[in-house]
Amino acid sequence: MEKVLTVVVPVYKVEQYIDKCLTSLILPDEQMTQLEVLVVNDGTPDQSAIMAKTYEEKYPDTFRVIDKENGGHGSAWNRGVREAHGKYIKFLDSDDWYDNADFSTLVKRLTHCDADVVLCNINKHFVNRGTVEKVQLVNMKDGETYRIANYDWLGSGNDTELFDFWYATYRTSMLQAVQPLFVEKVFYDDAILFIAPVILGETFSFFDLTIYNYLIGRVGQTMNLSAQVAHAKDYIKVSTSMVDFAERHGYDEGYKKPFVCLRLNIYIRNTFIYLNALPKDQLKHIVKVSWLPYVKEHFPDYKESKVVKYYLTLPYWLYKRFFKWKIEKQHYRYS
């Protein structure tokens, strides 16, 4: 039977989480024939891949483990996109999981869907706070299909990250046409999904389902503050790739433009914030000579954020006081 949906699960050092993740993908028999799960073993040194292969053995028509050398999260996703056979594709990080009942409904509904992107609600699980936040998308009708360029995204009242993989399911051919989409051997490679589906897609549908359970704040996670500081330079590569993508494919159509401009400017601002972990001389060179001048040249809709203006105008000691407050505010969001 033709595969309706491919789920790509990258695996690296997640043996504590992998069973919960993969178990959430087990559906009734008829739907299992419509589902493809590609577990991409990114050279993990622990037992994660071995554990995943038990699912491949039990459900050989659905689960497939792809072994590859370590190349990072983006490398695993690129491999999954290349090998996907489903009409649609969805990504699931292996420390997260799907709501099984709503996921089953999603697969059923995708058989009759023809939109380029499907958006659903999510749950955010904050480890350190011990709380769960349901993010319910608003001002969209269940089952309705809309033109991306005609929908007022900034006036909708929704999170502007809603095209990222937590919320979205994508037409596979749309992503395969621009491979490799994800920057490899860096953290935060998924950020391209903030803008790429908006730029590439023509239509989206909303399903009032809560599929994705996103675990936030665990030790070793890429959105953990210590990881963000340690991999500050990765933001440069990712933000540059986003600018290049927008320049190459264009984003001027209707409501696409304000959405893409906002998301790119937010990411450029956040890149600068985390670059403050670098020594003073390195930061100065990046902002005044290399990265930021490149961004300004290739992204004509760049808008200088307050934090950059303060850096350029305030004495450095005074600016660092402001920066300390800013980084603490940013940290709370991901803890």
Side-chain angles (χ1 to χ4, degrees):
M1 180 179 289
E2 181 180 352
K3 298 296 183 180
V4 174
L5 176 65
T6 297
V7 178
V8 178
V9 184
V11 168
Y12 188 79
K13 290 186 178 180
V14 285
E15 59 186 15
Q16 179 181 351
Y17 305 97
I18 190 65
D19 270 331
K20 183 174 184 177
C21 172
L22 297 184
T23 298
S24 74
L25 303 177
I26 297 173
L27 301 177
D29 290 345
E30 181 180 355
Q31 289 182 284
M32 289 292 273
T33 63
Q34 299 174 308
L35 177 65
E36 176 182 56
V37 179
L38 300 181
V39 181
V40 184
N41 168 25
D42 192 39
T44 186
D46 66 2
Q47 300 296 304
S48 302
I50 295 172
M51 295 167 71
K53 286 179 180 178
T54 63
Y55 290 81
E56 182 182 50
E57 292 167 2
K58 190 171 183 179
Y59 306 100
D61 295 329
T62 301
F63 285 80
R64 179 159 65 96
V65 177
I66 300 170
D67 296 314
K68 61 181 286 297
E69 292 184 2
N70 179 255
H73 187 272
S75 173
W77 274 15
N78 283 333
R79 180 69 176 270
V81 172
R82 285 198 303 271
E83 299 204 19
H85 295 99
K87 175 184 174 185
Y88 287 96
I89 189 167
K90 193 163 179 61
F91 301 99
L92 174 60
D93 277 348
S94 43
D95 55 349
D96 298 330
W97 66 99
Y98 288 163
D99 178 275
N100 186 256
D102 277 6
F103 178 55
S104 176
T105 303
L106 173 68
V107 175
K108 290 178 185 176
R109 295 183 68 173
L110 286 176
T111 61
H112 306 292
C113 184
D114 198 42
D116 294 320
V117 184
V118 175
L119 301 176
C120 297
N121 313 310
I122 70 169
N123 286 322
K124 294 182 178 180
H125 297 254
F126 293 89
V127 175
N128 295 332
R129 304 179 208 171
T131 60
V132 179
E133 173 192 347
K134 179 177 178 178
V135 183
Q136 172 75 48
L137 302 186
V138 297
N139 296 317
M140 301 176 187
K141 293 183 180 180
D142 180 45
E144 287 287 317
T145 298
Y146 305 84
R147 280 188 54 78
I148 292 174
N150 293 348
Y151 190 82
D152 181 6
W153 297 102
L154 303 190
S156 71
N158 290 302
D159 188 342
T160 58
E161 295 181 347
L162 81 174
F163 278 91
D164 203 11
F165 69 102
W166 316 307
Y167 297 96
T169 303
Y170 315 95
R171 185 185 296 277
T172 304
S173 59
M174 182 177 72
L175 300 191
Q176 288 177 335
V178 291
Q179 275 295 294
L181 179 61
F182 304 104
V183 182
E184 301 191 0
K185 298 186 178 179
V186 299
F187 281 22
Y188 322 119
D189 51 271
D190 66 288
I192 189 64
L193 293 174
F194 292 154
I195 63 170
V198 180
I199 292 172
L200 299 173
E202 294 296 328
T203 58
F204 80 95
S205 291
F206 169 61
F207 293 169
D208 193 9
L209 304 169
T210 305
I211 309 294
Y212 203 103
N213 286 280
Y214 176 26
L215 190 67
I216 301 174
R218 75 169 178 85
V219 175
Q221 190 176 38
T222 60
M223 295 313 296
N224 180 280
L225 178 62
S226 60
Q228 290 179 312
V229 171
H231 294 270
K233 287 187 177 180
D234 288 355
Y235 276 96
I236 293 177
K237 295 179 181 178
V238 173
S239 61
T240 301
S241 76
M242 294 170 71
V243 167
D244 291 345
F245 188 93
E247 182 182 44
R248 186 165 63 251
H249 294 283
Y251 53 90
D252 285 337
E253 186 183 1
Y255 284 110
K256 289 186 178 187
K257 182 167 185 175
F259 184 92
V260 171
C261 289
L262 177 65
R263 277 309 323 170
L264 263 178
N265 277 302
I266 288 173
Y267 202 82
I268 291 164
R269 178 202 66 193
N270 291 347
T271 297
F272 174 79
I273 288 173
Y274 289 110
L275 288 175
N276 278 266
L278 301 176
K280 179 180 178 181
D281 289 345
Q282 286 189 39
L283 178 63
K284 182 178 179 180
H285 183 272
I286 287 167
V287 173
K288 295 189 176 181
V289 179
S290 59
W291 167 71
L292 196 56
Y294 181 91
V295 167
K296 290 179 179 179
E297 179 183 353
H298 294 273
F299 177 38
D301 296 294
Y302 167 74
K303 184 177 181 181
E304 201 152 78
S305 63
K306 287 183 179 180
V307 68
V308 175
K309 288 179 181 177
Y310 292 156
Y311 172 79
L312 295 173
T313 58
L314 294 176
Y316 189 70
W317 66 268
L318 183 57
Y319 164 74
K320 288 299 284 186
R321 287 189 178 181
F322 168 80
F323 165 73
K324 186 175 185 294
W325 167 81
K326 193 71 176 176
I327 196 74
E328 287 173 352
K329 180 181 178 182
Q330 192 80 352
H331 176 213
Y332 181 78
R333 186 182 178 198
Y334 295 110
S335 63

